[in-house]
């Protein structure tokens, strides 16, 4: 199956570099390119991309707003957004995750890591390299907690096991990691994660992490719970 990719960046040279890397793989195809957020939104609706590489700072409509609109469009529920940014300086990464982005990449990402990231996101694992990004996410989310009381109430919908799994997801564990810690199969771990997403009305693991931190279920500096 071919993974269809949409590139959204206002710098043509960056798009060209990513396109060359992506098109070098037989199971990848760059189906469209956008120079601003509005064009990215329009192309998301027509190009049938599986994954969008989305810059944040673009003219007309920035990538943050484009991501929010894509995430709110039920007709685009299968589209995953990877935000392109510099980790240390772009606070909007967290807002993009809240808007529905599935993860983020640095523009200096190595070609192999870029291709791996797209495959991971296209396959539904959604939050790219959570162990590497958890510190950044938690640092910003601790100061971005609007509606925390509503989130706490939403957690009441989860079973004890689903809350336990949510904590592990927020700490960056994959389904295989969770399965090993809980002595269950990877399929069972995935089922718990999917049920938590359904009950909390989110589309992927990235938003589970956002909820875990914003609700206070997980806090910056928390250690991984003992198995």
């Amino acid at each position: 199956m071919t993974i269809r990719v949409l590139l959204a960046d206002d710098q043509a040279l960056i798009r060209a570099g990513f396109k060359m890397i992506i098109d070098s793989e037989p199971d990848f195809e760059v189906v469209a390119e956008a120079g601003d957020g509005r064009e990215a939104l329009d192309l998301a609706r027509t190009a049938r991309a599986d994954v969008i590489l989305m810059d944040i700072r673009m003219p007309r409509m920035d990538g943050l707003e484009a991501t929010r609109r894509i995430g709110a469009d039920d007709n685009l529920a299968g589209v995953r957004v990877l935000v392109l940014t510099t980790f240390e300086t772009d606070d909007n990464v967290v807002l993009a995750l809240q808007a529905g982005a599935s993860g983020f990449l640095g523009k200096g990402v190595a070609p192999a890591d870029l291709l791996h990231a797209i495959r991971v996101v296209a396959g539904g694992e959604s939050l790219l390299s959570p162990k590497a990004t958890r510190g950044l996410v938690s640092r910003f989310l601790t100061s971005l907690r609007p509606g925390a009381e509503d989130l706490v109430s939403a957690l009441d919908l989860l079973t004890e096991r689903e809350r336990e799994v949510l904590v592990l997801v927020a700490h960056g564990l994959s389904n295989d990691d969770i399965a090993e810690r809980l002595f269950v199969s990877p399929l069972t771990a995935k089922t718990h994660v999917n049920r938590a997403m359904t009950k909390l009305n989110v589309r992927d693991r990235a938003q589970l992490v956002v909820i875990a931190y914003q609700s206070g279920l997980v806090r910056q500096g928390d250690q991984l719970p003992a198995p």
Side-chain angles (χ1 to χ4, degrees):
M1 183 180 69
T2 300
I3 299 174
R4 298 167 61 84
V5 181
L6 165 61
L7 302 177
D9 195 296
D10 61 338
Q11 298 184 51
L13 187 60
I14 289 178
R15 295 200 310 271
F18 282 139
K19 177 176 172 56
M20 181 178 65
I21 293 168
I22 292 168
D23 281 344
S24 70
E25 294 293 298
D27 59 333
F28 280 52
E29 180 185 3
V30 174
V31 294
E33 297 182 39
D36 59 64
R38 186 175 299 281
E39 187 178 10
L41 179 61
D42 292 340
L43 288 172
R45 293 167 172 158
T46 61
R48 297 185 295 112
D50 302 303
V51 177
I52 301 175
L53 297 185
M54 182 81 77
D55 189 20
I56 286 185
R57 294 187 172 91
M58 293 186 290
R60 293 212 297 168
M61 179 188 294
D62 64 25
L64 184 62
E65 179 61 23
T67 298
R68 183 179 296 110
R69 296 193 186 192
I70 290 169
D73 191 334
D74 291 339
N75 293 324
L76 299 176
V79 178
R80 302 300 184 212
V81 176
L82 277 174
V83 169
L84 297 170
T85 184
T86 53
F87 289 169
E88 293 81 8
T89 60
D90 202 338
D91 298 8
N92 283 332
V93 166
V94 173
L95 296 178
L97 292 176
Q98 291 174 311
S102 295
F104 52 94
L105 292 170
K107 289 189 176 181
V109 63
D113 292 336
L114 170 67
L115 297 172
H116 175 70
I118 295 172
R119 286 193 173 96
V120 167
V121 170
E125 285 298 316
S126 294
L127 182 60
L128 174 63
S129 301
K131 291 180 181 178
T133 62
R134 176 162 45 89
L136 175 73
V137 171
S138 65
R139 184 166 72 250
F140 291 122
L141 285 182
T142 51
S143 62
L144 290 171
R145 296 177 57 188
E149 292 182 0
D150 292 338
L151 292 177
V152 171
S153 297
L155 294 181
D156 291 339
L157 299 172
L158 304 182
T159 65
E160 183 177 350
R161 177 63 92 184
E162 288 162 356
R163 288 172 66 97
E164 183 179 10
V165 167
L166 176 56
V167 170
L168 296 177
V169 169
H171 277 279
L173 273 65
S174 67
N175 289 342
D176 287 344
D177 295 331
I178 293 171
E180 183 176 352
R181 288 180 63 89
L182 300 182
F183 302 102
V184 299
S185 70
L187 180 59
T188 298
K190 182 177 180 179
T191 298
H192 288 312
V193 172
N194 288 342
R195 286 176 178 168
M197 288 193 291
T198 298
K199 290 181 178 180
L200 297 174
N201 194 31
V202 300
R203 57 192 284 171
D204 58 37
R205 297 169 77 96
Q207 290 180 301
L208 283 181
V209 175
V210 170
I211 287 178
Y213 279 104
Q214 288 198 313
S215 66
L217 181 65
V218 178
R219 299 178 185 277
Q220 183 181 359
D222 282 357
Q223 298 298 310
L224 186 65

